[in-house]
Amino acid sequence: MAADNERFMRRAIRLAEEKMAANEGGPFGALIVKNGNLVAEGWNRVTRANDPTAHAEIVAIRRACRRLHTFRLDDCVIYTSCEPCPMCLAAIYWARLGYVYYGNSRGQAAAIGFDDAEILDQIRCHDSARKLPMIRLLPEEAHRAFDAWIVKPDKTPY
């Protein structure tokens, strides 16, 4: 199994290198693997797609979910060339991936200009202390959708 882990990690690293060299985006690659089989690949497409959410992990998760026809990847593993940023880590949790294998650290990413420390700090803040103003509006009206969800008989829980 260690050999498979290294093989998949090397592929994620190669994707990062190849797609960055091809001007697809930043130097990040990711794979989703199920039972030792490659399900999906992703690479950073932020600048190519003009999509700030098109990180390698997000792209790989989206492709894996489409391919497997599910929103849960709890029987899958992700290999990513770099420690996931806060957005990607949240997506990994939402997808319920079983393991995360990563190459470069968050600190190494920061050293080349991909620093997410401010985002992490802002997540920890109360709404009133955030740099980005967050103003709650019409909570009673908004809660109607939640009330409807509670009683919806044909909902798909996640």
Side-chain angles (χ1 to χ4, degrees):
M1 188 63 172
D4 282 344
N5 288 335
E6 290 177 4
R7 178 172 55 93
F8 288 127
M9 180 56 72
R10 283 189 180 101
R11 177 62 189 148
I13 293 166
R14 276 195 313 276
L15 269 176
E17 294 168 339
E18 291 168 7
K19 299 304 182 176
M20 182 261 316
N23 293 320
E24 287 288 321
F28 305 96
L31 309 177
I32 305 291
V33 174
K34 179 178 179 177
N35 299 324
N37 297 307
L38 178 63
V39 174
E41 295 181 335
W43 52 89
N44 185 284
R45 301 199 72 247
V46 170
T47 55
R48 174 66 75 181
N50 293 317
D51 179 352
T53 69
H55 291 199
E57 297 91 336
I58 301 293
V59 172
I61 288 168
R62 288 174 179 162
R63 289 177 176 167
C65 288
R66 276 194 305 271
R67 182 162 184 215
L68 297 174
H69 307 287
T70 184
F71 57 87
R72 294 187 62 128
L73 301 173
D74 40 6
D75 51 355
C76 296
V77 173
I78 188 166
Y79 296 84
T80 179
S81 63
C82 186
E83 185 176 0
C85 75
M87 174 185 68
C88 293
L89 186 58
I92 287 165
Y93 274 105
W94 276 111
R96 295 171 177 84
L97 284 150
Y99 288 89
V100 178
Y101 294 94
Y102 67 93
N104 291 308
S105 71
R106 181 178 290 126
Q108 289 172 306
I112 65 162
F114 296 93
D115 190 354
D116 56 19
E118 183 178 0
I119 296 169
L120 288 168
D121 290 343
Q122 289 294 302
I123 289 170
R124 293 182 191 110
C125 288
H126 184 273
D127 287 357
S128 62
R130 289 193 175 131
K131 286 183 175 181
L132 177 66
M134 295 189 65
I135 302 157
R136 192 170 183 196
L137 190 61
L138 302 176
E140 295 83 13
E141 290 181 40
H143 202 272
R144 287 194 308 249
F146 283 9
D147 290 336
W149 176 259
I150 290 168
V151 298
K152 184 174 172 36
D154 60 342
K155 65 186 167 203
T156 302
Y158 60 97

